[in-house]
Amino acid sequence: QTLSQRPDILDEEICEELKPLQTTNKPFDDAEAMRLLSEELEWRGPIAPGVCAPECAEPDGAPLFASISASPIASASLGQVYKATLHDGSEVAVKVQRPSAMRQVATDFAVLTTVLYGIQSTGWGNGDLVEITDIVAAGVFEEMDYRNEAVNAQRFERSLDFLGYVSVPAAVPSLPPTPRVLVTEWVAGRHLSDLSREEGTRMTNMAVDAVTASLVLTGFVHADPHEGNIMLGDDGRLYFP
């Protein structure tokens, strides 16, 4: 995902090939996602009319949502997103973490720590590479709890209120976030690849200002601002979904 944003490092054609990793990773099984939804939200009935989690305790009970998409509308490295409708008609995004995400990230950091320990043992570098990795890993694991993500997202939005155009989808109060499920308001908008040149330039300028302000003014940053995590809303605002 990071390299897909760096045509200054890789050839632009390679960057374009890597960009699908931002939002179109191979999704995990929908039945498993419904099972996680049911488990995390402690829902015994159907997820939506005609949509039940495996081993649903009350298949004839009231559904959690009025409807939910049959497959994810976006799939990233750590989770995937479904579009659903609440019983009051509100559209929401339902983010479900991959079952293997925690184990995979732990394995990746274990391998990285081992490699860096070996490099550090040769005397290369002027800092404690393993300690730096530990600090980064702690932050990643903290953010993998969607309850923390929801809190930090709102803090990020408030920190940039002075710009007047930055928003983050708010968590749905009636369905509080859990460690592996986050339900937020649905944002109507488009990513950079779907914008006209003029719209893309405007969104890019807004995003650069927002990211720069968070780095040099507020000190509270979005750690993953790639194209898949930035949208121009139909209301003209810049969204970090």
Side-chain angles (χ1 to χ4, degrees):
Q1 290 179 349
T2 300
L3 289 174
S4 71
Q5 302 290 113
R6 298 298 302 273
D8 56 318
I9 297 177
L10 296 178
D11 184 83
E12 191 167 347
E13 289 185 6
I14 297 177
C15 290
E16 288 299 319
E17 290 297 319
L18 292 174
K19 282 185 179 180
L21 294 174
Q22 297 173 1
T23 58
T24 55
N25 283 257
K26 182 179 179 180
F28 65 92
D29 186 64
D30 293 316
E32 180 64 12
M34 297 303 107
R35 185 192 66 77
L36 278 170
L37 265 175
S38 178
E39 180 181 304
E40 289 286 301
L41 297 177
E42 300 180 348
W43 194 260
R44 297 173 60 84
I47 300 301
V51 181
C52 284
E55 301 178 3
C56 177
E58 299 178 5
D60 296 323
L64 178 61
F65 298 106
S67 67
I68 191 167
S69 57
S71 57
I73 52 92
S75 180
S77 54
L78 298 180
Q80 57 198 41
V81 178
Y82 295 83
K83 185 177 182 179
T85 305
L86 301 181
H87 293 289
D88 65 2
S90 303
E91 294 183 329
V92 296
V94 183
K95 184 177 179 180
V96 186
Q97 191 173 103
R98 290 179 180 271
S100 61
M102 190 69 72
R103 181 173 64 253
Q104 185 62 58
V105 171
T107 300
D108 290 346
F109 273 114
V111 171
L112 180 60
T113 299
T114 301
V115 171
L116 291 180
Y117 180 79
I119 294 174
Q120 189 169 295
S121 298
T122 67
W124 184 87
N126 59 358
D128 190 332
L129 300 178
V130 174
E131 182 179 3
I132 293 172
T133 303
D134 283 344
I135 293 172
V136 172
V140 170
F141 283 121
E142 180 181 349
E143 194 70 5
M144 286 182 70
D145 185 327
Y146 286 166
R147 294 171 298 186
N148 295 326
E149 178 178 328
V151 170
N152 289 333
Q154 292 309 304
R155 179 183 171 189
F156 178 74
E157 178 180 277
R158 290 194 301 272
S159 73
L160 295 175
D161 272 348
F162 65 93
L163 291 177
Y165 58 75
V166 175
S167 290
V168 176
V172 175
S174 60
L175 295 169
T178 74
R180 295 187 292 175
V181 170
L182 177 60
V183 183
T184 65
E185 62 181 340
W186 181 263
V187 174
R190 291 166 293 157
H191 293 289
L192 183 62
S193 59
D194 299 317
L195 301 176
S196 67
R197 185 177 183 86
E198 181 181 350
E199 291 173 321
T201 299
R202 179 158 58 90
M203 191 191 83
T204 300
N205 289 335
M206 293 165 70
V208 169
D209 286 349
V211 171
T212 302
S214 68
L215 284 169
V216 303
L217 297 178
T218 72
F220 194 77
V221 304
H222 190 298
D224 197 21
H226 60 69
E227 284 181 41
N229 283 339
I230 303 176
M231 293 174 61
L232 181 65
D234 291 351
D235 57 4
R237 296 180 66 81
L238 182 71
Y239 282 89
F240 288 84

